[in-house]
Amino acid sequence: MTGALLAGLLAGYGIAIPVGAVATYLVALTARTSLRTGLAAALGVATADGVYALVAVLGGAAIAGVIAPIAEPLRLVSAAILVVLAVRGAVSALRSHRAPTTRPVTPLAPGRAYVSLLGITLVNPTTVVYFAALVVGDRAGDAVSVLEQVVFVLAAFAASASWQALLAGGGALLGRVLTGPRGRLVTALASSAVITALAVRLVLS
């Protein structure tokens, strides 16, 4: 149970930490509107992460018996995918650091902010690829209880929600620190390091 909790938290923070266009928009939106609107938007992002974590867990459970014979090769492939995602994130951060861009902010009501950020995050294919590679690779060939799956999904959601809420709660002050060129670079590289560590864990487990 503790393993599922820690895995979910690491997975949630790994996908949530990089401060990209969505996170920058979230912070700017909070600064321009209110904390209530910002927290609603943050919950929208976290909900999308939780949905994809759930989809990955359910998919992994459904095909666990099928992939059991190729569990070890699949584990290595999953680790490779995570490394690719980590490298791509780091490279993207370095490029953005050299040529930073800004995203216009339009004030939104809390409900609309939630739906808007949920939709924006759901169309990001990196999220579902990330969770699928992590969950399927980590659980390949292993029986996982329903309770462990629930704990993993809730932990991933909680991790994402806590980070997004931190961004929203910080408002303009935090925005100047994390959404500036250096802050975006540091958070993206930190996320890449977390994802790489998860990939190494898959190989060594």
Side-chain angles (χ1 to χ4, degrees), residues 76-86 129-130 133:
L76 296 178
V77 170
S78 297
I81 292 174
L82 290 175
V83 170
V84 170
L85 290 176
V129 171
Y130 167 80

Side-chain angles (χ1 to χ4, degrees), residues 30-54:
T30 306
R32 291 274 299 274
T33 56
S34 66
L35 178 60
R36 182 182 176 187
T37 296
L39 290 177
L43 187 59
V45 177
T47 299
D49 288 343
V51 167
Y52 277 140
L54 177 61

Side-chain angles (χ1 to χ4, degrees), residues 93 96-98 100 175-187:
S96 297
H97 183 66
R98 297 191 183 100
R176 282 192 288 270
V177 175
L178 291 185
T179 62
R182 182 172 297 179
R184 290 168 63 113
L185 177 64
V186 169
T187 55

Side-chain angles (χ1 to χ4, degrees), residues 3 6 14-15 27 38 52 63 83 95 186:
L6 292 177
I15 196 64
V27 173
Y52 277 140
I63 63 174
V83 170
R95 289 176 178 172
V186 169

Side-chain angles (χ1 to χ4, degrees), residues 6-7 9-11 13-15 17 75 78-87 90 130 133-134 137-138 188-205:
L6 292 177
L9 290 174
L10 283 175
Y13 282 122
I15 196 64
I17 283 177
R75 200 185 304 274
S78 297
I81 292 174
L82 290 175
V83 170
V84 170
L85 290 176
V87 171
Y130 167 80
L134 180 61
D138 192 35
L189 293 179
S191 175
S192 293
V194 170
I195 295 173
T196 301
L198 291 170
V200 172
R201 176 174 171 270
L202 287 182
V203 174
L204 298 180
S205 62

